[in-house]
Amino acid sequence: MSDTKTYNGSCFCGAVQFTVTGEPAAMGYCHCESCRHWSAGPVNAFSLWQPDAVKVTQGEDKIGTYHKTPNSYRKWCQSCGGHIFSEHPGMGLTDVYAAVIPDLQFKPAVHVNYQETRLRIKDGLPKLKDFPKEMGGSGVILEE
Ligand SMILES: [Zn+2]
Ligand SMILES: [Zn+2]
């Protein structure tokens, strides 16, 4: 058998349960206005996964979806309002918020959209102005 890891996640109240399997494609922090405004926090700790790595195991009917743009379909629990994950169809990846999968060891590698930051973080990781070049961004690195 494979040693593929599975991590359990849930919304704030636990009505929605899900698993993510394997390893994330990327982990880091996003400082963009959309992440800050929707999360009501200063920064979003993201982990990006192949969409089929994410499986809802309970409470599918409780999941609400909102999309302001076609880039991000934001999912939350309609019972507690807790955020779960966002699908990014253009990127072909799903952002499972690191905070909702506590078993996953969060190993951030990059900060994105740092030009919009409201919380400077001096952790020595690269601070991208927007997105990496391979994801359609400028790839420009800013000062911490
Ligand atoms: Zn909930
Ligand atoms: Zn963002």
Side-chain angles (χ1 to χ4, degrees):
M1 292 300 288
S2 78
D3 58 355
T4 306
K5 284 210 181 88
T6 295
Y7 305 95
N8 296 308
S10 71
C11 66
F12 189 49
C13 75
V16 178
Q17 300 279 338
F18 61 92
T19 59
V20 285
T21 302
E23 292 303 322
M27 291 190 268
Y29 300 99
C30 184
H31 295 254
C32 83
E33 197 278 334
S34 292
C35 281
R36 286 187 283 106
H37 206 152
W38 195 60
S39 71
V43 66
N44 175 39
F46 65 81
S47 71
L48 293 168
W49 301 78
Q50 299 300 325
D52 62 8
V54 184
K55 299 247 179 305
V56 175
T57 53
Q58 184 189 303
E60 180 106 52
D61 59 318
K62 297 268 190 339
I63 298 177
T65 302
Y66 175 76
H67 70 282
K68 190 182 216 176
T69 75
N71 298 325
S72 301
Y73 285 72
R74 301 169 190 279
K75 311 270 183 180
W76 75 94
C77 168
Q78 296 183 77
S79 294
C80 68
H83 296 172
I84 314 166
F85 49 80
S86 289
E87 294 169 354
H88 300 299
M91 234 187 262
L93 293 168
T94 297
D95 174 5
V96 182
Y97 307 117
V100 302
I101 37 174
D103 293 344
L104 175 73
Q105 199 189 351
F106 184 60
K107 292 186 213 141
V110 68
H111 292 250
V112 298
N113 292 310
Y114 204 63
Q115 64 179 344
E116 301 175 49
T117 190
R118 292 294 183 275
L119 179 68
R120 293 191 172 271
I121 299 177
K122 311 224 171 190
D123 58 4
L125 294 175
K127 307 293 183 304
L128 290 180
K129 180 180 178 214
D130 39 70
F131 286 109
K133 270 202 178 122
E134 57 271 28
M135 289 171 65
S138 69
V140 171
I141 292 178
L142 302 179
E143 296 281 317
E144 286 199 318

